[in-house]
Structures are given as structure tokens and as C-alpha cells.
Amino acid sequence: MSVCPETERFAALLRALKSRSGMSYEALARKSGLAGSTLHRYCRGTSVPQDYGSVHRLATVCGATPEELRTLHRLWALADAARTAAARAEEEAAAAEERQEARQETEEAEEAEDEEDEEEEKAEPGGGGQAVPDIAGEPDPEPAPRLTGRSRRRRLRTSVVTAAILAALSVSAWALYSARTPSGSGGGGRGSGDDRPLFSANCPPVIAMGEHDECVKEVQRLLHAKGADIGVDGSFGPQTLRRVTAFQVLAGIQPNGVVEEPTKKALYASRVRMSVWSQEKVRQRVREVFPEVPDKAVAIADCQSFLDPLHILPNTNGTRNWGLFQISDARLRELGGTPRQALDPEWNIQAARRLWSRDRDFGDWPHCARAAGATPLTATRPPR
């Protein structure tokens, strides 16, 4: 089985980390919680995980540095994109094969019908093809040519093809008119040229954590234009990762934190707005929802998310924490919520209230609860 270059580079880094750790596959499986056979497939390059979380967990067990983790995330994103493209190509090939088989079956059926038509013609009076003379000895007028089954089908196909060509010409004319019509006067939208730099040859198919270039700047500019609080410095760091992931959730895209084709398209076409409550509004609403312990509730939200409603934190086990009070994936399922709801500040604060109300304490946030109980918290902004 051939392995694509993207997958091989990803697998090579995993093998290097595994070799450096000095641990066997069995030991790594126990520590990472993954099956030994799964680790073999990842390191051989015969399989690419659909979720980066398992890769991150494995690399952490192997002692990967932050720089190696960023590189691994980028290589996984490229390998995952290549896997998706290969699967799409296989589906298209299978569909083409099915169409070919259908055409062959149709042709065989047509040939069988033609043979039946010929048999019917021979059985009809005058089927030999000669005119039958009348009483006066004059031959009958030459009969009109008889359409066989294949002729009828050919004529029908010709009519259908003609109609399709006319329709295509109409659509092409409309598209040409739309392309020439100025924006705002009923014409078409963006093209795929210079007005969408992420689709140019200058940008890679996948833009991910650790990159520093103009393509990252374009991503940041587009996020900022949608209301996101993000610096435009061309560096794909943790803050850009969080904002990309939040945008994907709000736009209904699989939130993997990398900018592939669906995310690129959405960045240009989606009307998603990422503007959120100010810190002052967050503080005020938390105090209203937690009248019994307003100061402590605000301190915990500040500790968890820096009062950022779109704060997202990935965990080493592949799960994430969401929003103001960093509601975990497990708690989301328990509360019947979704990541999109968790990024809504009102829903998030009310969910935190429900969790607090169980025992009337902040046991779901032990680290921040201890800190909030000891001294007032002065949070610093997360790294960008």
C-alpha cells in the first residue's frame, strides 16, 4: 500500500518521538489510552486519526516539546486533508464505474430490444421489405420508414441533449452577464482570483498552528472583519487557533482548528459575526446570575477564560473546554448543550449556575475556586 508524502511526514515524526521516548508500543498504549494496533498504524502511516486529540496525547506521553507539538499539529492537518481528498477520489472512481456498468447494461438491453424489433418486422405482412402490388398491378406507395426501438431512443436522446445544450447556453449567458454586472446591481459574488488570496497559489491547502506568513495574516484579517478580537501579526499562535476554532463552530464547520477549503470558503462567504460581550457586560451579568457569590463567580470566570466568551481550551485527551466558564465536553453532554451554545455568554453563565446549584459551590472549577478563595484574581491575557 502506497503512502502519500503528507502522511509519511506525519508518521515519520511520530516514529521519531516514539523512538526517542524509549518506550514500547505496549507501554505507550497503556500511558496514552490508545490501542497498540492503532499506534502501529499511525506510526507506519497506514492510518491517519480523524481527531488530533489522540495524536496530541500520544506525543505528550513521548515528551514532545511545544514546538514539536505545533509541527505535529500542522503535519496531521496536511495528512488529514490528503486522506479526505483520497477518499473523495475513491468515491468518484466508484461512481464512475457504476455509471459505466449502467451504460453497458443499457446498451445490452437496447441490443436485445432491437433484435425483438427485427423479429417483429419479419413477422409482419410485407415484412420482407417489398411492396405488395394492388389489383391493378400498381405497387402501393412506398411506406414511411418504420422507427425501430433504437431509432426511437436515439431520437429521444437527441432531443434531450439538444435541450441540455440550450439550457447550458442560457446559464452561461446569465453567468457572463452576472460576472460583468457591478457588485450591488444584482450581479454575482466573489470570484476565485485575487480577491480571495487564501485560494491563490501563494497559500498552502491547509493553514495551521505554527505558520508565520501573509496567508495567516489574511486569515486574521478576515476574522477581525467578522468582529473577532484578534491581532493581525501573521503568526498562527494559540489565540489564532482559538479564534479559528470558534469561527468554525459558529459557521457550522467541523472545529479542527486548521484552515482548510471549507473554512476558507466560509471566511469569505459566511455572514457569521464574532463580536461578543465586553468584559464589563460579562461581569455585570455574572453578578446578576450569582447574587449569592457575585465576586467569587466573576473571579472564577476571569480565571477560566479571561472573561472571553469565545475562549476555547483544547485538552491533552482530545476534549475541549468552552466559553466563559470553560464548560467541558463531558459537562456539555450532561447539560444537553452544544459547543455553539457554550460560546453564547448567556447560555454559558446559566449552565455554570446549574452546576453551582447542585452543591452550592464551585467544585467544577477546583483550581480557580481555591485561587478565588485565597486572593483576588488578576488574570493576564492568554498568549497570542
Side-chain angles (χ1 to χ4, degrees):
M1 175 180 176
S2 61
V3 179
C4 68
E6 293 85 356
T7 302
E8 175 53 33
R9 286 194 289 270
F10 167 70
L13 181 52
L14 283 183
R15 291 195 297 270
L17 292 173
K18 185 262 179 189
S19 176
R20 191 180 68 192
S21 73
M23 288 185 279
S24 65
Y25 282 108
E26 291 72 18
L28 285 175
R30 285 194 303 271
K31 287 181 174 292
S32 65
L34 299 172
S37 58
T38 300
L39 297 182
H40 274 284
R41 290 196 301 272
Y42 292 169
C43 291
R44 287 200 308 267
T46 57
S47 177
V48 177
Q50 295 184 356
D51 191 334
Y52 173 71
S54 58
V55 180
H56 188 97
R57 188 162 66 249
L58 172 62
T60 302
V61 170
C62 291
T65 65
E67 182 61 33
E68 287 171 332
L69 290 174
R70 285 192 291 271
T71 301
L72 187 64
H73 186 273
R74 184 167 63 254
L75 293 179
W76 166 81
L78 292 169
D80 184 60
R83 176 183 58 79
T84 302
R88 188 181 301 117
E90 289 181 2
E91 291 176 359
E92 293 174 354
E97 185 176 350
E98 290 178 0
R99 289 194 295 271
Q100 178 62 25
E101 292 176 355
R103 281 196 295 270
Q104 291 178 351
E105 291 176 358
T106 300
E107 290 175 358
E108 292 173 358
E110 289 177 351
E111 290 177 359
E113 290 179 3
D114 287 345
E115 292 177 358
E116 293 178 1
D117 290 339
E118 291 175 1
E119 294 298 327
E120 291 176 0
E121 287 179 3
K122 292 178 181 179
E124 291 177 359
Q130 296 180 352
V132 180
D134 62 9
I135 297 176
E138 296 293 333
D140 287 337
E142 185 176 348
R146 186 175 184 275
L147 292 176
T148 64
R150 174 170 290 188
S151 299
R152 288 192 295 271
R153 288 188 294 275
R154 186 179 294 114
R155 179 172 293 181
L156 177 60
R157 283 199 298 270
T158 301
S159 301
V160 171
V161 170
T162 302
I165 292 174
L166 291 174
L169 289 173
S170 299
V171 171
S172 298
W174 178 88
L176 182 60
Y177 167 78
S178 299
R180 291 179 176 177
T181 302
S183 176
S185 60
R190 290 180 176 270
S192 58
D194 293 340
D195 58 344
R196 298 201 304 173
L198 293 180
F199 288 97
S200 71
N202 296 326
C203 290
V206 179
I207 303 170
M209 183 86 163
E211 295 188 28
H212 310 267
D213 52 32
E214 287 298 317
C215 300
V216 176
K217 256 188 185 177
E218 175 70 0
V219 171
Q220 293 169 333
R221 278 193 290 264
L222 292 168
L223 291 170
H224 181 74
K226 295 183 181 300
D229 174 19
I230 185 172
V232 182
D233 57 5
S235 178
F236 201 126
Q239 180 73 340
T240 301
L241 175 65
R242 285 189 286 267
R243 292 301 184 242
V244 167
T245 306
F247 172 76
Q248 290 171 328
V249 171
L250 297 175
I253 301 170
Q254 179 65 30
N256 57 9
V258 298
V259 183
E260 302 172 274
E261 183 174 346
T263 303
K264 291 180 180 180
K265 288 181 178 179
L267 282 170
Y268 287 114
S270 172
R271 296 183 178 180
V272 164
R273 297 299 303 168
M274 300 183 68
S275 51
V276 294
W277 291 2
S278 66
Q279 290 189 344
E280 186 54 42
K281 184 174 180 179
V282 170
R283 290 191 187 94
Q284 178 183 344
R285 186 57 183 148
V286 171
R287 290 177 183 279
E288 292 171 352
V289 175
F290 289 87
E292 303 89 344
V293 284
D295 293 338
K296 191 168 186 177
V298 170
I300 286 177
D302 201 358
C303 172
Q304 287 289 314
S305 67
F306 310 95
L307 303 182
D308 175 11
L310 297 183
H311 193 77
I312 299 171
L313 180 67
N315 301 312
T316 56
N317 62 358
T319 64
R320 293 186 178 98
N321 295 343
W322 306 90
L324 285 171
F325 279 89
Q326 289 292 276
I327 309 297
S328 67
D329 284 330
R331 285 289 186 251
L332 269 185
R333 289 191 295 270
E334 186 179 321
L335 296 170
T338 65
R340 187 186 182 93
Q341 288 176 310
L343 296 183
D344 174 69
E346 180 65 27
W347 191 94
N348 195 288
I349 295 170
Q350 295 292 346
R353 170 76 190 192
R354 289 166 60 187
L355 295 174
W356 177 85
S357 297
R358 293 175 176 178
D359 299 309
R360 298 183 72 80
D361 65 23
F362 290 99
D364 271 74
W365 304 273
H367 171 71
C368 287
R370 287 194 297 271
T375 58
L377 295 179
T378 56
T380 58
R381 295 292 293 175
R384 292 185 179 273

